């Protein structure tokens, strides 16, 4: 694949910096070494959230800013198909990125894994990604109506989601209802289940059992994909009616 | 002996002040007028608070809510004041990207009677203001809800104010260096500020003492003015933190202040030379109006 080489440096370096910072925070507190693994794992998964946020949800906003959105609407392709294609491309590229971050982070900080079941781990990952990118498509329809605020809202949805989804700590540490509410974000349960399956004490620190988390992820996948289809059709009509497809309020 | 200031210099100073003032106003409009004041206030507060809460949750899990340990105020205050790094340093350099790539107005600003470095620094002021609100709310939340040990009678206010002001100037100077580098690069320029801020977060002992870093990485932290700036701010607010960690415990407040001032002057000189060089090179190579549409 043809890639801009400097992107590789930034794609890999940027997520490693907060990962390293949080690892050293845990080391300053003399935390059990598994928490270092949790941080590396969670840090690698931030790549998917950032991809969904900036390259899926905001995608139609970027296209509108550059004047391409009207061309998309005019073409005979369905919006769902366009976003699905973007999701596949984004998922592939981000998986490579996350995998390398995971390998490098695990090597740098000597993370020990004890995988209980590879098939289950793969299943959880695929379900979490299906639900997450379905959510991305759904959000894309909402972002269709936004202008300048789209950038700010994407920017806003980073740290609060890192907090609520437990990217750097087990979600079980939060209040039950907060954790339950956070479970609406597919990465929350995806991360929790993958940690349970990949680390020795993961099951002890898990929020719900892996089986329940898999069931919830299946439900979220169906709900988000169906909602994305309905909302995209509705928002497209609304945007056409209100003349928002070609507006540019920089 | 009478000192005669050349007329052109006086005009430059006036122009610099005007550039700074107008850029400050413009920056504030860009930062804040995309939504209503309430949502803007929420936006300005939620992000830094969430960032602080991540650390608080991590800390409370491992220490079983032992907020009395000196590590907690060290980490909490360091993280709170680090908001200024993202606001001022990244804010100054981000103005180049915003004006060149997004609004496509940088070339018009260059042909206007504007002092560019002062214009860019002015653009960072809006983020300094919103950053100050976020710092204040984060620290207040820490004192009220998380028992950050704040003794108002023991606060060294002069040290705090002097350190804060020098630190903000220092951050603006680093921002200017980044702005110069940003002028040279068409794509990925947004990453430069983020990468530097992320690296400084790691190496400046913002949220953990430098001793935790591997020995070969510590000299990077000692060479960064932000390390001394954060230490001075912590000491001025919670003096007991100073002696809890060996990293800078041997330095007195005056010594730390002297190091901070010296490093700020060094970075200011570097900023002047780097920005002048980058600015001239960008003009020569036609980079001022180059856009990547990315």
């Amino acid at each position: 694949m043809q890639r801009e080489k400097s992107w590789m440096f930034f794609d890999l370096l940027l997520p490693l910096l907060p990962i390293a910072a949080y690892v050293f925070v845990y080391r300053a507190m003399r935390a059990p070494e598994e928490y270092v693994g949790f941080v590396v794992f969670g840090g690698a998964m931030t790549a998917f959230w950032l991809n969904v946020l900036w390259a899926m949800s905001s995608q139609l906003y970027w296209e509108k800013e550059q004047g391409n959105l009207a061309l998309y609407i005019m073409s005979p392709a369905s919006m769902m198909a366009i976003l699905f294609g973007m999701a596949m491309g984004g998922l592939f590229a981000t998986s490579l990125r996350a995998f390398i971050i995971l390998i490098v982070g695990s090597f740098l900080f000597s993370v020990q894994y004890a995988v209980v079941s590879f098939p289950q781990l793969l299943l959880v990952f695929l379900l979490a990604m299906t639900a997450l990118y379905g959510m991305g498509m759904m959000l894309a329809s909402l972002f269709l109506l936004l202008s300048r605020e789209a950038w700010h809202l994407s920017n806003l949805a980073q740290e609060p989601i890192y907090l609520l989804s437990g990217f750097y700590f087990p979600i079980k540490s939060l209040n039950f209802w907060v954790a339950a509410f956070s479970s609406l974000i597919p990465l929350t349960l995806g991360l929790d289940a993958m940690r349970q399956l990949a680390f020795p004490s993961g099951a002890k620190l898990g929020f719900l059992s892996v089986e329940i988390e898999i069931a919830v992820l299946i439900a979220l996948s169906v709900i988000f994909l169906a909602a994305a289809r309905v909302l995209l059709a509705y928002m497209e009509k609304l945007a056409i009616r209100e003349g928002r497809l070609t507006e540019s309020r920089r | 002996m009478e000192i005669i200031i050349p007329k052109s210099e006086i005009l430059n100073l006036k122009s610099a002040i005007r550039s700074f003032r107008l850029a400050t106003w413009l920056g504030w409009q860009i930062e804040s007028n995309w939504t209503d004041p309430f949502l803007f206030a929420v936006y300005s507060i939620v992000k830094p608070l969430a960032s602080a809460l991540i650390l608080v949750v991590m800390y409370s899990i491992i220490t079983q809510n032992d907020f009395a340990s000196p590590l907690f105020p060290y980490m909490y205050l360091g993280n709170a004041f680090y908001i200024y790094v993202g606001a001022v340093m990244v804010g100054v350099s981000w103005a180049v990207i915003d004006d060149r790539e997004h609004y496509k107005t940088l070339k018009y600003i260059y042909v206007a009677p504007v002092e560019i470095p002062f214009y860019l620094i002015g653009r960072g002021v809006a983020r300094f203001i919103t950053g100050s609100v976020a710092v204040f709310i984060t620290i207040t939340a820490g004192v009220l809800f998380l028992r950050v040990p704040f003794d108002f009678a023991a606060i060294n206010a002069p040290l705090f104010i002097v350190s804060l002001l020098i630190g903000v100037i220092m951050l603006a100077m680093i921002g200017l260096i980044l702005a110069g580098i940003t002028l040279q690069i068409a794509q990925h320029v947004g990453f430069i500020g983020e990468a530097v801020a992320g690296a400084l977060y790691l190496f400046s002992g913002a949220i953990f003492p430098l001793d935790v870093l591997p020995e070969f990485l510590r000299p990077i932290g000692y060479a960064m003015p932000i390390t001394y700036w954060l230490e001075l701010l912590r000491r001025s607010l919670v003096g007991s933190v100073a002696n809890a960690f060996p990293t800078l415990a041997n330095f007195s407040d005056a010594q730390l202040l002297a190091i901070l001032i010296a490093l700020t002057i060094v970075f200011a000189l570097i900023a002047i030379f780097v920005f002048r060089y980058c600015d001239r090179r960008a003009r020569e190579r036609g980079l001022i109006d180059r856009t990547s549409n990315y």
Side-chain angles (χ1 to χ4, degrees):
Chain A
M1 268 171 73
Q2 187 67 36
R3 294 275 293 169
E4 168 63 44
K5 288 180 184 63
S6 63
W7 281 30
M8 298 218 187
F9 174 75
F10 285 112
D11 275 3
L12 298 177
L13 175 80
L14 275 181
L16 277 174
L17 292 172
I19 288 174
Y22 288 129
V23 164
F24 287 121
V25 167
Y26 272 133
R27 292 214 165 136
M29 292 186 271
R30 301 183 197 288
E33 274 302 299
E34 278 140 64
Y35 282 86
V36 170
F38 288 179
V39 168
V40 172
F41 212 83
M45 297 302 280
T46 58
F48 292 104
W49 179 245
L50 291 176
N51 184 249
V52 161
L53 207 55
W54 292 101
M56 281 292 298
S57 306
S58 316
Q59 190 62 41
L60 299 182
Y61 158 72
W62 299 127
E63 300 297 353
K64 183 161 64 174
E65 285 280 292
Q66 297 191 13
N68 293 332
L69 187 60
L71 301 175
Y72 280 23
I73 304 287
M74 276 192 277
S75 80
S78 85
M79 212 51 152
M80 192 78 179
I82 290 171
L83 283 173
F84 184 69
M86 284 176 183
M88 286 295 105
L91 181 60
F92 177 72
T94 310
S95 297
L96 282 178
R97 184 182 165 195
F99 183 69
I100 295 171
I101 293 167
L102 194 65
I103 298 292
V104 175
S106 302
F107 172 74
L108 284 177
F109 301 111
S110 312
V111 178
Q112 303 287 321
Y113 296 96
V115 178
V116 180
S117 162
F118 277 106
Q120 264 195 329
L121 190 62
L122 187 65
L123 176 70
V124 170
F125 174 76
L126 291 176
L127 283 172
M129 290 305 118
T130 307
L132 182 69
Y133 280 83
M135 188 173 133
M137 285 186 205
M138 195 181 78
L139 291 175
S141 65
L142 299 176
F143 273 60
L144 194 63
L145 300 180
L146 300 179
S147 285
R148 275 172 69 199
E149 56 271 37
W151 191 92
H152 292 284
L153 291 178
S154 289
N155 201 25
L156 179 65
Q158 287 181 198
E159 283 80 359
I161 299 300
Y162 295 165
L163 169 69
L164 290 174
S165 292
F167 276 83
Y168 300 110
F169 52 81
I171 192 70
K172 193 183 184 182
S173 320
L174 296 177
N175 170 288
F176 175 83
W177 291 110
V178 175
F181 173 73
S182 305
S183 301
L184 289 174
I185 301 157
L187 271 177
T188 308
L189 292 184
L191 249 176
D192 192 70
M194 283 190 278
R195 280 176 179 150
Q196 291 191 53
L197 294 165
F199 291 97
S201 64
K204 198 176 71 188
L205 297 168
F207 173 50
L208 302 169
S209 73
V210 174
E211 289 72 24
I212 293 176
E213 291 184 339
I214 287 175
V216 176
L217 283 173
I218 291 171
L220 287 177
S221 302
V222 174
I223 291 167
F224 284 140
L225 285 172
R229 192 175 168 79
V230 173
L231 271 173
L232 262 174
Y234 174 73
M235 290 297 182
E236 192 181 317
K237 276 184 197 160
L238 190 67
I240 291 170
R241 197 168 65 224
E242 295 190 359
R244 289 189 173 190
L245 291 179
T246 50
E247 74 170 353
S248 180
R249 288 190 288 123
R250 287 166 190 265
Chain B
M1 196 177 81
E2 191 184 357
I3 299 170
I4 300 167
I5 302 170
K7 201 176 175 184
S8 60
E9 289 294 314
I10 298 171
L11 283 176
N12 276 344
L13 186 65
K14 275 186 184 170
S15 171
I17 293 169
R18 193 189 59 216
S19 304
F20 178 79
R21 185 170 50 82
L22 290 175
T24 301
W25 176 84
L26 176 66
W28 177 254
Q29 294 298 319
I30 291 173
E31 287 297 320
S32 63
N33 73 1
W34 57 274
T35 186
D36 60 83
F38 175 74
L39 189 60
F40 177 66
V42 171
Y43 172 79
S44 306
I45 294 163
V46 166
K47 215 172 138 68
L49 265 185
S51 176
L53 280 174
I54 290 172
L55 288 172
V56 170
V57 174
M58 286 167 65
Y59 182 86
S60 63
I61 295 168
I62 303 302
T63 64
Q64 309 294 321
N65 300 323
D66 176 19
F67 293 112
S69 161
L71 181 62
F72 181 65
Y74 181 100
M75 187 183 80
Y76 193 86
L77 292 176
N79 184 66
F81 284 110
Y82 201 82
I83 292 169
Y84 279 124
V85 178
V88 180
M89 187 185 82
V90 180
V92 171
S93 61
W94 184 257
V96 172
I97 304 165
D98 229 10
D99 285 0
R100 187 172 63 183
E101 291 274 346
H102 189 202
Y103 298 113
K104 298 182 173 58
T105 51
L106 191 60
K107 60 184 170 188
Y108 304 114
I109 288 162
Y110 259 83
V111 296
V114 163
E115 299 293 325
I116 296 297
F118 286 89
Y119 168 80
L120 293 174
I121 292 171
R123 286 288 300 276
V125 171
R127 291 203 182 192
F128 168 76
I129 295 167
T130 51
S132 296
V133 174
V135 170
F136 176 76
I137 288 175
T138 306
I139 293 177
T140 306
V143 174
L144 293 179
F145 306 115
L146 300 166
R147 285 168 279 168
V148 171
F150 235 62
D151 179 2
F152 286 95
I155 290 174
N156 188 340
L159 181 66
F160 176 75
I161 293 167
V162 169
S163 306
L164 187 65
L165 285 176
I166 295 170
V168 170
I169 294 168
M170 172 264 295
L171 291 172
M173 292 300 113
I174 300 177
L176 208 53
I177 296 172
L178 296 181
I181 296 167
T182 303
L183 272 175
Q184 307 300 306
I185 308 165
Q187 289 182 326
H188 345 301
V189 282
F191 295 149
I192 293 174
E194 275 184 56
V196 173
L200 290 173
Y201 193 59
L202 178 63
F203 295 120
S204 65
I207 52 173
F208 53 83
L210 278 184
D211 307 82
V212 179
L213 278 178
E215 210 163 327
F216 69 97
L217 290 176
R218 288 178 209 164
I220 302 172
Y222 288 120
M224 291 294 124
I226 294 172
T227 307
Y228 305 97
W229 177 60
L230 290 174
E231 179 70 7
L232 278 166
L233 291 173
R234 283 191 204 101
R235 285 190 188 191
S236 62
L237 295 180
V238 185
S240 59
V241 172
N243 299 320
F245 304 101
T247 321
L248 299 168
N250 293 331
F251 291 92
S252 68
D253 293 351
Q255 284 172 321
L256 286 177
L257 199 57
I259 295 170
L260 177 63
I261 292 169
L263 285 174
T264 302
I265 293 169
V266 169
F267 273 84
L269 291 173
I270 294 171
I272 291 167
F273 286 113
V274 168
F275 191 81
R276 271 189 188 168
Y277 171 76
C278 292
D279 181 63
R280 195 179 63 240
R281 191 172 177 275
R283 288 172 196 255
E284 279 171 2
R285 301 194 173 197
L287 305 178
I288 303 298
D289 63 345
R290 186 170 66 170
T291 55
S292 61
N293 279 330
Y294 181 75

